[in-house]
Amino acid sequence: MMGRTKDKGASMTEEEKRRLLAKKRRRQALERRREKERREEENKTRRKIYITIAACVILFIAAGGAVLASGVLGKAMNAKVILTVESQTMVQDEERQPFSAKAKSDSDAGKVINKNTGFTVQDLLDDLNSGIGYELSCDGDGTVEGEFPIHAALDDYMQERISSEWKNKVKVEAVDGELVVQNKYGAWDGERFKRHDGSYVSDDFIESRGDKYYFDPDGNMVKGEMKKGFTTYQFGEDGKLLSEVSTLDVDKPMIALTYDDGPGKRTGELLDMLESNEAHATFFMLGQCINDDNGSLLQRMVEIGCEVANHSYAHPQLTKLSADGIKEEIHKTNEKIVEKSGGVSASLLRPPYGAINDTVRQAAEVPLIMWSVDTLDWKTRNAQATVDHVMNTVRDGDIILMHDIHDSTIDASKELIPKLKEAGYQLVTVSEMAEARGVTMEAGQSYAEFWKD
């Protein structure tokens, strides 16, 4: 629960501090002037008492208009001043601007509300418009989406003057404003969520007004039960996330099997083995290898909890390309992945040959994934050699490199997957392992393993 936020605090800018100091000095000067006037009044001879009540009664009776006079008296009693708090709209997590208010009156601005001092309605308006006599407060601090009232409250000194020296002369009414905090990601469009760039959220979570929602690859809000990776999510009929239960044990050993250069002609067999063992893997695919004949495999990868990832379009050494050339290799492949996977975008990149430089890091726009165990399956083309190498070297947190375009690798994987599970390893995607180890992967940064410290 957020605390009440006032438009004063330790985080004020220098400009705000200067305005606050100027406001304080004006008020102090005003108070000194009025105190002097009050002392002068005390030294003066008391003014004679006006006998107005009797005169008014006689006048009203003579005119025969007691009811009319009552209405005239009511109009003459108070000048009305409206203090309106100005509303403000901002995007979530941006710096909130200082609150402000404006005072206006339909009454005669020259009307004197204190005959002893000559203080007028205009003097009161000037004070209020200088920020004197009230405080503004709001429960919204700009971090949470929603609409929050901005309240104006007259301070004790102002209230005392209205009830004593200005009694029956002026009335000040405060009108609240509103702080509107817009979602930092975008806005709702029916049951879809539209980003600020005009695209719709798909295959991703969005937090709105303190609740989480998930949108499928077509951009539709998910309701009911959904399984993603090792986690089962339950959503209400309004799309709000109600619960999530994961079968992944973060305290148990885990490894990430990764496959490059596919899809291959036997990738479907590999998916069968992964699914039957409730295991996941990450597939770093080449754009030129994704076609109508094998494109359905990408959607199946997503359905069984595997991760689709980018390995460039034609397997060039990216460090030899310009930034534009690198982006073209990545984007061409990603377009094919999105098309064939049902709208899922690749969130990871494995540069061919593991070649990385500053240009690659800046152009990638996603995390770069290396490896800690290289099976050399592309070189040995020997299933048993691949199995032995993995089983003899693997450790908790490893990322294992293989290629699903080789028959020997598919054969090796069919043996490895159940063996690794028997050895106590959970077989997860790269992203699942990073999350389990508390690592937030960043674009342009490279990751080769997620070992425990």
Side-chain angles (χ1 to χ4, degrees):
M1 180 70 69
M2 294 176 295
R4 190 171 183 82
T5 302
K6 291 190 175 183
D7 197 34
K8 297 178 180 180
S11 61
M12 289 189 295
T13 64
E14 289 301 317
E15 180 60 27
E16 289 174 320
K17 290 179 181 178
R18 286 195 292 272
R19 287 202 301 266
L20 185 60
L21 180 58
K23 172 181 173 180
K24 182 177 180 182
R25 288 174 176 170
R26 288 196 300 271
R27 181 167 182 168
Q28 290 173 341
L30 181 64
E31 291 175 351
R32 287 196 297 270
R33 175 168 61 85
R34 288 170 187 163
E35 181 62 24
K36 181 180 178 181
E37 291 172 350
R38 282 195 291 270
R39 287 199 301 268
E40 290 175 352
E41 291 171 23
E42 291 175 358
N43 294 329
K44 292 180 181 179
T45 304
R46 299 290 184 183
R47 299 174 185 269
K48 62 181 180 179
I49 301 173
Y50 294 99
I51 309 175
T52 57
I53 298 176
C56 288
V57 170
I58 294 172
L59 178 61
F60 294 158
I61 292 174
V67 175
L68 175 61
S70 176
V72 172
L73 180 61
K75 290 181 180 178
M77 281 185 65
N78 290 343
K80 188 174 182 180
V81 172
I82 305 295
L83 179 65
T84 304
V85 180
E86 297 186 311
S87 295
Q88 186 179 133
T89 298
M90 62 174 292
V91 175
Q92 191 178 5
D93 291 339
E94 287 185 349
E95 182 179 357
R96 181 177 61 74
Q97 298 302 309
F99 296 136
S100 60
K102 295 294 183 184
K104 294 183 179 180
S105 177
D106 292 335
S107 304
D108 179 9
K111 179 179 179 180
V112 176
I113 57 178
N114 187 329
K115 292 183 179 179
N116 295 330
T117 63
F119 196 77
T120 66
V121 171
Q122 186 61 57
D123 292 327
L124 176 57
L125 291 175
D126 291 342
D127 279 358
L128 293 173
N129 284 322
S130 296
I132 296 173
Y134 64 92
E135 292 184 348
L136 301 177
S137 62
C138 180
D139 288 334
D141 63 358
T143 62
V144 177
E145 174 190 7
E147 295 80 36
F148 305 90
I150 309 172
H151 300 287
L154 300 180
D155 62 23
D156 293 341
Y157 181 62
M158 179 64 74
Q159 291 188 53
E160 190 275 331
R161 296 172 75 193
I162 292 173
S163 63
S164 58
E165 60 183 281
W166 301 339
K167 188 174 182 180
N168 295 332
K169 298 292 175 53
V170 68
K171 179 181 179 182
V172 179
E173 179 180 324
V175 179
D176 286 350
E178 185 177 59
L179 173 64
V180 179
V181 183
Q182 299 175 341
N183 190 285
K184 60 185 174 183
Y185 301 109
W188 287 93
D189 183 5
E191 291 192 345
R192 306 180 75 192
F193 198 88
K194 194 172 186 178
R195 298 186 189 275
H196 292 301
D197 64 6
S199 64
Y200 285 93
V201 173
S202 62
D203 193 36
D204 201 359
F205 284 96
I206 283 292
E207 185 171 338
S208 175
R209 297 181 182 271
D211 292 302
K212 289 182 71 174
Y213 302 81
Y214 187 82
F215 300 86
D216 66 21
D218 294 324
N220 299 313
M221 183 174 68
V222 173
K223 303 175 183 179
E225 184 177 280
M226 178 190 76
K227 292 185 178 180
K228 187 174 179 64
F230 289 92
T231 305
T232 299
Y233 300 92
Q234 191 67 43
F235 299 90
E237 285 303 307
D238 56 2
K240 294 178 181 177
L241 176 63
L242 303 177
S243 64
E244 55 182 288
V245 179
S246 176
T247 58
L248 182 64
D249 190 336
V250 297
D251 296 321
K252 289 184 178 180
M254 61 185 73
I255 57 175
L257 299 177
T258 67
Y259 296 90
D260 287 8
D261 295 352
K265 62 182 184 297
R266 295 181 61 191
T267 299
E269 295 179 42
L270 175 56
L271 295 179
D272 291 339
M273 179 59 65
L274 289 166
E275 184 175 17
S276 63
N277 283 273
E278 296 182 339
H280 300 163
T282 300
F283 291 86
F284 291 96
M285 293 172 284
L286 294 173
Q288 66 181 7
C289 292
I290 302 172
N291 51 54
D292 291 339
D293 293 334
N294 61 24
S296 60
L297 292 175
L298 276 68
Q299 192 162 348
R300 188 178 173 205
M301 290 173 186
V302 174
E303 289 172 352
I304 68 174
C306 291
E307 186 169 31
V308 291
N310 200 313
H311 194 42
S312 80
Y313 190 84
H315 209 279
Q317 185 170 323
L318 298 182
T319 54
K320 295 182 178 180
L321 301 181
S322 65
D324 288 342
I326 295 169
K327 290 179 180 180
E328 183 179 7
E329 283 284 325
I330 295 171
H331 293 165
K332 283 172 61 179
T333 300
N334 202 42
E335 287 176 356
K336 284 204 167 186
I337 290 175
V338 170
E339 177 189 354
K340 298 301 183 182
S341 67
V344 179
S345 179
S347 58
L348 304 175
L349 170 69
R350 173 168 283 161
Y353 313 106
I356 299 174
N357 60 13
D358 289 342
T359 305
V360 173
R361 291 184 185 280
Q362 293 172 8
E365 300 178 346
V366 293
L368 307 173
I369 306 304
M370 309 302 281
W371 55 87
S372 54
V373 175
D374 186 351
T375 62
L376 297 177
D377 60 335
W378 60 273
K379 184 176 182 180
T380 65
R381 305 291 179 92
N382 184 292
Q384 194 57 51
T386 299
V387 172
D388 291 343
H389 183 74
V390 172
M391 297 306 298
N392 291 334
T393 60
V394 70
R395 59 174 287 192
D396 180 22
D398 272 334
I399 297 176
I400 299 173
L401 170 62
M402 290 184 281
H403 301 76
D404 56 325
I405 58 173
H406 303 308
D407 288 335
S408 56
T409 299
I410 302 300
D411 294 335
S413 296
K414 286 184 174 182
E415 184 177 346
L416 268 174
I417 291 169
K419 272 192 171 184
L420 289 167
K421 289 200 67 176
E422 289 173 7
Y425 291 104
Q426 300 173 100
L427 306 184
V428 300
T429 67
V430 171
S431 293
E432 287 169 341
M433 189 157 65
E435 182 179 356
R437 294 292 152 86
V439 177
T440 301
M441 294 187 289
E442 298 180 3
Q445 298 300 310
S446 59
Y447 304 87
E449 37 72 19
F450 296 99
W451 296 329
K452 285 185 176 180
D453 294 336

